[in-house]
Amino acid sequence: MPLPLALLRRFLRGTDGAITVEYVVLAAGITGLSVAAYGSVTDGLGALAGTVEGEINGTASDGAVGKTYIEGFRSGADGWSGAEATDMMGIGEVLGPIGGSGGAPTVSRDFVTDPDAAKATFQFDLYAMDSLDRESGVIYIDGKEVGRVTRNHLKGTTFTPAEGLAERGIIVRAEIVDDDIQLGGSTSWRDALSVISISVKDPGDTVNFGFGSTADQGVGDESFAIDNFVATGLRDL
């Protein structure tokens, strides 16, 4: 039984004028709400259990062909080269901080793809930290740039896709979800957070994901970091 909002408001304001019938209706409404909530929680836990089982077994939870790699860098950064997993102040465990590399892809990981997968996908959070001033985090697939996130602490954050992606069968999207706010690292500067999604059509046997940056100061002053990395369409993890 749905709980009448007017009755609930009157009950919350005070019970001096409440009558027996209202308490009965109220109790019935609360009971119905509890049953509904129990059903929702039960369904949610069942879905969560299935998702967790899929992640533990390395299987895709969204119907995609192949296995799914999910990494929050809480247990290190196995398989990655060029950067380590660290606990970044205010954010938590990330791959980074990643300093300047002249833009070259010095951070990378190879992914072995499933031969039956028509595409491989990659999604991750990219943090642009501290005093970056028109410097970029550059994203690579198989050694070629696919896009870059440029942070200017005076004017905000932008994403620029590389040219010729369609010919390479690659789609890249970026959503800047937080910009010019303090996320972590040095409290003297504001940061940005972007979510990057990459789809690679007909990926072949392996896909190499690479990352570099044009930062020109130490990581204590400016850096990038990667978190919540998810890749699909894989054969091995």
Side-chain angles (χ1 to χ4, degrees), residues 46-154:
L48 177 61
T51 300
V52 170
E53 181 183 6
E55 292 179 4
I56 291 174
N57 292 332
T59 57
S61 58
D62 58 359
V65 174
K67 297 181 179 180
T68 298
Y69 166 88
I70 302 174
E71 182 60 84
F73 303 104
R74 291 166 182 79
S75 300
D78 289 346
W80 291 86
S81 63
E84 297 180 351
T86 62
D87 189 349
M88 182 174 286
M89 183 175 64
I91 295 177
E93 293 84 356
V94 297
L95 182 68
I98 301 170
S101 63
T106 54
V107 177
S108 67
R109 192 185 197 283
D110 288 324
F111 293 91
V112 179
T113 58
D114 190 299
D116 295 325
K119 66 178 180 179
T121 67
F122 306 89
Q123 181 172 299
F124 59 96
D125 296 342
L126 179 61
Y127 288 93
M129 306 299 297
D130 301 331
S131 70
L132 293 163
D133 47 357
R134 296 180 298 278
E135 292 149 326
S136 304
V138 189
I139 305 155
Y140 292 84
I141 293 293
D142 292 332
K144 295 182 179 180
E145 181 178 340
V146 296
R148 58 178 61 201
V149 172
T150 303
R151 168 76 180 147
N152 185 340
H153 65 80
L154 297 176

